Amino acid sequence: MYSDNVMERFRAAKNAGTLKGANGRGEVGNVTCGDIMRMYLLVDTKTDIIRDAKFKTFGCVAAIVSTDIACDLIKGKTIEEALLVKNTDVIREMGGSIPPKKIHCSVLAQESIEAAIADYKKFKAKLETK
Ligand code: FES
């Protein structure tokens, strides 16, 4: 069902794990399949550039690979640039095609970015009111 590249990335997902000092955390899930994704961001509060991103995903191969790719796609970007990363970008990085029933896994990766950035924005808003 998956290409060799996708399986390789699944076995050695380099962005797997949590992030010490993360200032943006997002959790999303899909009620139908039950998969859950957590994304952790370390964002420079002066520039809003994402310095690091890690994930913990409890789910299928496509979900794990999608979040690993999503982390790579947003590192080094500002939060506004990262919000432009869509599930279609994730699919492209996976080699361009995934089974139709797995498209929602890439959508979940996009949503995990959005959730983590929304959390970071709350963190930053609190900082600015201090
Ligand atoms: Fe639901 Fe992959 S099957 S996220």
Side-chain angles (χ1 to χ4, degrees):
M1 173 155 54
Y2 299 109
S3 67
D4 289 347
N5 283 352
V6 168
M7 288 312 295
E8 212 170 285
R9 186 145 194 158
F10 167 67
R11 282 189 281 269
K14 63 180 185 217
N15 298 310
T18 57
L19 197 51
K20 205 175 170 195
N23 51 14
R25 296 176 185 81
E27 179 175 313
V28 293
N30 182 292
V31 286
T32 308
C33 66
D35 289 0
I36 292 173
M37 284 180 185
R38 290 187 191 131
M39 177 149 314
Y40 305 91
L41 304 179
L42 184 58
V43 186
D44 183 323
T45 54
K46 287 193 174 55
T47 61
D48 284 343
I49 290 174
I50 298 168
R51 295 292 176 207
D52 205 358
K54 297 270 184 200
F55 76 93
K56 270 194 164 182
T57 292
F58 307 91
C60 70
V61 169
I64 289 166
V65 172
S66 291
T67 6
D68 194 45
I69 289 171
C71 288
D72 277 349
L73 289 175
I74 63 173
K75 278 191 251 182
K77 287 189 163 78
T78 65
I79 55 169
E80 296 310 323
E81 289 167 344
L83 286 171
L84 298 176
V85 172
K86 302 299 175 202
N87 78 303
T88 47
D89 300 312
V90 171
I91 292 171
R92 190 188 58 240
E93 292 296 316
M94 289 173 90
S97 75
I98 57 174
K101 67 179 181 182
K102 294 292 179 182
I103 301 256
H104 78 273
C105 315
S106 64
V107 173
L108 220 47
Q110 178 188 322
E111 290 172 353
S112 73
I113 295 170
E114 292 163 355
I117 290 175
D119 185 58
Y120 165 73
K121 284 181 174 176
K122 280 188 212 156
F123 170 83
K124 192 166 176 190
K126 271 189 205 159
L127 267 188
E128 288 168 348
T129 56
K130 282 185 182 174

